Each structure stands twice: as structure tokens, then as C-alpha cells.
Amino acid sequence: MLSGRRLDLLDPSPLDIELADIAHGLARVARWNGQTAGEHVFSVAQHSLLVEAIGLHLRPDCTAPQGLEFLLHDAPEYVVGDIISPLKAAIGDAYKGVERRLLAAIRRRFGLDAPDPALSRLVKRADRIAAHVEAVRLAGFTEAEAARYFGRAEPLPETVLALAEPWPTARAQDRYIARFEALAG
């Protein structure tokens, strides 16, 4: 970690998690294996911002802690990277266990309770909607292909769709931190 902390993946401590490390890592992990057009990759930090914006669109009365759940949903990837789906499937629950423990430590670090099942379902829905948007706008999928993998498109305001554009790494990192700070108060 840039903070100099060591994070035990099998038993992560909330005290070893820093927002700066999360933002730094997520801004440098590429979605879509970096196979998007343009000078910059579309990072997991940007994806997280898009998911949070979609979550607020779906639930306008969302509280700040609920907004943090959307923003932090992929935070474990700052450590383990975006392990491709076939590898996740091959190692199965072992990967899921690492990811769950990291996310639980991240929640404890930032004072978040475990989300209720309804919020977890909403985060997954926003994540799939974001994947659909990214697939079509960034990764060259047709609408039909994106619908097959991620479900049908949902209407979103242009202010949300505008987040689906690759940014320089520093911008993605800074915007992730700024949004976290706005939600965390």
C-alpha cells in the first residue's frame, strides 16, 4: 500500500485500510481489461462513481451511508485487482471469501453497518446497469449483446451517462476521493 501499511488478505484489519490507497488503486485498475477506445482506460474508480450516481437515480432518498455502499462496492479490487470472471469461477468461494472479508473490513473502517438485503440488491442492480452502459458506450457491445449479459437498458439522465467516459488517472482518483468525502461528511 502507498500508505506503507500491510494488509493481510486472509484477515484484513480495518486499521490497515486507507481511503487514499483505495482511490489510488481503483483509479489504476482498468475495467474491460483496458480495451476501451481513447487515450485513457475506464477505471474501477470511475465505474464506482457511475454506480453511485445510478444508485442515487434509482433511489433519490438514499442516505449518505447508503451512497457510500454504492461507492465502495468494488473497493476490494484496489488490493486484489479485477480478477477475470473465469478465474473467479475456477477458485469459486475462495475468491468470494477474500472479497467479503475485505469489504467487511472496509465497512468497519468507515463506520458502515452491513447493508440490508434490499440495499445489496439495489447495489447489484446499479452495478449491472452501469455495466450495460459501459459495454455499449466504451467496450463496443451492441445493445442486444449488452442486454444478453447485463439486462436491458434503463433510461438514465445525461448527467449520469456523462460519467461513462475515460478520464486521466489523477482525475479519477481525485473525483473518487471528493465524492467519498462529500458522502462521509
Side-chain angles (χ1 to χ4, degrees):
M1 302 296 141
L2 291 177
S3 62
R5 297 177 182 273
R6 298 284 179 238
L7 185 61
D8 181 346
L9 290 178
L10 299 179
D11 187 21
S13 168
L15 298 175
D16 293 332
I17 295 169
E18 295 293 335
L19 178 65
D21 290 338
I22 293 171
H24 177 90
L26 293 185
R28 287 160 177 79
V29 176
R31 293 271 298 169
W32 306 100
N33 294 326
Q35 297 174 5
T36 53
E39 183 179 350
H40 306 288
V41 299
F42 186 78
S43 70
V44 176
Q46 292 177 253
H47 165 76
S48 297
L49 289 163
L50 179 59
V51 169
E52 191 259 339
I54 291 169
L56 289 179
H57 172 72
L58 296 173
R59 185 187 277 177
D61 62 339
C62 196
T63 66
Q66 291 169 335
L68 284 173
E69 289 290 343
F70 288 102
L71 189 67
L72 292 169
H73 83 283
D74 274 343
E77 291 187 19
Y78 86 102
V79 176
V80 295
D82 193 12
I83 297 176
I84 60 173
S85 296
L87 180 58
K88 284 182 184 178
I91 61 176
D93 287 336
Y95 172 79
K96 290 176 188 170
V98 169
E99 191 174 51
R100 278 192 301 269
R101 285 188 296 276
L102 277 168
L103 195 51
I106 289 165
R107 281 193 184 106
R108 284 192 310 272
R109 169 65 174 92
F110 300 116
L112 298 173
D113 295 328
D116 64 56
L119 181 60
S120 293
R121 285 190 301 276
L122 190 61
V123 170
K124 287 197 179 299
R125 180 176 170 208
D127 192 34
R128 289 182 67 81
I129 293 168
H132 185 283
V133 169
E134 295 163 12
V136 172
R137 287 187 163 226
L138 302 169
F141 284 54
T142 65
E143 279 290 338
E145 290 170 324
R148 182 176 38 212
Y149 295 110
F150 308 112
R152 62 179 167 67
E154 296 202 26
L156 296 169
E158 189 53 43
T159 55
V160 172
L161 294 172
L163 295 172
E165 131 188 354
W167 302 331
T169 302
R171 181 177 176 199
Q173 182 174 333
D174 291 346
R175 290 202 48 191
Y176 187 90
I177 290 171
R179 187 62 187 145
F180 177 91
E181 289 174 347
L183 290 167

